[in-house]
Amino acid sequence: MKKSTWLCLAICLPTTTQASALYFYEIATEDTALAGAGQAARAQDASTIVTNPAGMTRLPDHMFTGGLQAMDGDISYQLDDDAGRQSPGDILRFIPNGSAFYSQKLNDDLYAGIGMYGNYGLGIDFGNWAGDRLIKKSTMVAMTLSPSLAYKLNDRVSVGGSVNVNYGFLSLTRNVDGNDEKEKDHDWVLSYRLGLLMDLTDKTRAGIAWTSKTKYDFNIDGKARFPNLANIEYDLPISAQVNAPQQIMLSLVHDLNKQWSVMGDLGWQDWSQFGSPQIAVAGRDADKTNRLKDSWHTALGVQYRPTEQWRLNAGVAFDSTIYQSQSDVSLSIPTGDEWRFATGAQYQMTPQSNIGFAVSYLHMQSSRVQSPEPFKGSYDNPYLWFASVNYSYSF
């Protein structure tokens, strides 16, 4: 999901945190090794519940897929003028993640499944910087439970749907008169996913998946004052909503022969609906300019099967920026164009079980924050990395 990426940060920064100016595609499954390529059409394990629930009709009668993942990187913020003021530096903190999925055949045409995963969530720490009265630390944790159904219309066409029960927890720590004060809140939100899977030929299949918008509301006070700035009041726009836009993903998978398969994606995310929340300064009119635009995703991947036991994966993906201009981005959503490069492998241990590993590197475009004045600065060459292991068992 973006931005595919969320933004990784966006996910956690309390200023109308967008759970996806880095919509993470990485959820500790084999998709990580392919940079998400072919995600809505591949349907090789039970994690298809989150990419296209219609894909369950291609799975064995009973299947479990689970995985563990680590994420880290460097997202450093440098103030334009840090003379006498301390820049935050790298605000990203290591975060673990995990997922689990189960699918089952109910009859010849109907399949059911359930998945639990987190495709966004982040821990950040600005430390003792010039804006620590506004934000010092923040943690956003979100988990999704997805009961799903899939139905085979005929031998070539299947449909599926999921009801996503999303739980979000947000905490914000900042400096209040020399003491760290922490606020926290949680929220439950429903979202939905619909999918269609088609066998175009015996060697080519296509999938399309639509996911609805998700919006969290967190009741956290966003006002802060800075004594050295004539008690001007600043307000983080956390009326607080964490937004993930609706999105559409179209995928193709083509088997060249028994050893090679190629796959690709084309996706769209409706970021323009959210405008661009900025830190508000008391006594000034809020800037209503829409800084956000819709984003696009594309990916290419390849699978190579040198033996019956091994499946090797590699992929590259590109997600366009959600901003109209990289020279004027939100402090809380430091994203831009994103490139991700990934690889990994699956090993068939027994006829029923396989294990795999994957690594992915995500490079984000540099960006600048223009306002408010005391916090102007830049995010220079931010990047993330992911490492995961996954396991599947069919029975």
Side-chain angles (χ1 to χ4, degrees), residues 46-159:
S47 68
T48 189
I49 288 170
V50 71
T51 54
N52 184 350
M56 288 190 290
T57 61
R58 292 182 57 86
L59 301 182
D61 290 356
H62 306 266
M63 190 171 193
F64 168 81
T65 298
L68 297 173
Q69 181 171 280
M71 183 192 78
D72 206 345
D74 189 311
I75 299 181
S76 295
Y77 189 62
Q78 184 68 34
L79 294 171
D80 284 351
D81 180 11
D82 59 2
R85 298 185 300 156
Q86 185 173 345
S87 292
D90 182 16
I91 63 175
L92 180 64
R93 292 298 175 262
F94 174 88
I95 184 169
N97 193 14
S99 61
F101 305 90
Y102 173 75
S103 68
Q104 178 176 328
K105 182 178 180 179
L106 300 181
N107 58 45
D108 289 344
D109 298 319
L110 185 62
Y111 292 70
I114 190 166
M116 185 171 69
Y117 61 93
N119 66 335
Y120 57 90
L122 197 67
I124 56 173
D125 187 351
F126 280 80
N128 297 312
W129 72 299
D132 60 8
R133 284 177 172 262
L134 198 64
I135 176 174
K136 191 170 184 179
K137 297 179 182 179
S138 180
T139 299
M140 169 66 187
V141 178
M143 293 297 295
T144 300
L145 186 69
S146 294
S148 307
L149 289 175
Y151 185 75
K152 188 183 295 185
L153 297 177
N154 54 50
D155 290 342
R156 289 189 175 272
V157 181
S158 299
V159 294

Side-chain angles (χ1 to χ4, degrees), residues 120-319:
Y120 57 90
L122 197 67
I124 56 173
D125 187 351
F126 280 80
N128 297 312
W129 72 299
D132 60 8
R133 284 177 172 262
L134 198 64
I135 176 174
K136 191 170 184 179
K137 297 179 182 179
S138 180
T139 299
M140 169 66 187
V141 178
M143 293 297 295
T144 300
L145 186 69
S146 294
S148 307
L149 289 175
Y151 185 75
K152 188 183 295 185
L153 297 177
N154 54 50
D155 290 342
R156 289 189 175 272
V157 181
S158 299
V159 294
S162 300
V163 175
N164 306 314
V165 183
N166 306 285
Y167 172 79
F169 172 83
L170 175 66
S171 70
L172 169 64
T173 301
R174 55 188 171 189
N175 173 15
V176 179
D177 298 327
N179 298 311
D180 285 353
E181 290 194 4
K182 183 177 182 179
E183 292 185 76
K184 57 186 179 181
D185 196 16
H186 66 92
D187 193 20
W188 293 89
V189 183
L190 290 179
S191 62
Y192 309 93
R193 182 176 296 109
L194 299 175
L196 173 69
L197 186 64
M198 301 170 288
D199 287 341
L200 303 180
T201 71
D202 291 341
K203 294 186 177 181
T204 305
R205 61 186 178 273
I208 185 168
W210 168 81
T211 304
S212 70
K213 177 174 64 176
T214 305
K215 180 181 290 187
Y216 291 97
D217 290 319
F218 295 109
N219 184 22
I220 292 179
D221 184 10
K223 298 186 184 301
R225 289 179 176 271
F226 293 78
N228 59 332
L229 296 174
N231 286 329
I232 294 176
E233 187 176 77
Y234 292 83
D235 193 4
L236 286 168
I238 12 184
S239 29
Q241 297 173 334
V242 179
N243 300 317
Q246 67 170 327
Q247 65 166 341
I248 297 174
M249 186 69 71
L250 171 66
S251 300
L252 289 173
V253 174
H254 178 66
D255 299 324
L256 297 173
N257 51 46
K258 291 183 178 180
Q259 289 185 306
W260 290 94
S261 297
V262 294
M263 56 209 69
D265 292 336
L266 181 62
W268 166 82
Q269 293 179 343
D270 190 15
W271 282 98
S272 61
Q273 66 179 307
F274 293 138
S276 185
Q278 299 292 307
I279 296 170
V281 182
R284 303 182 192 173
D285 292 334
D287 185 355
K288 300 299 184 181
T289 302
N290 189 340
R291 291 176 170 83
L292 300 189
K293 63 180 180 179
D294 294 348
S295 64
W296 293 88
H297 162 84
T298 186
L300 292 173
V302 61
Q303 286 189 333
Y304 173 58
R305 296 170 286 275
T307 69
E308 292 185 359
Q309 285 73 40
W310 285 98
R311 183 165 67 229
L312 308 181
N313 299 305
V316 59
F318 173 78
D319 289 89

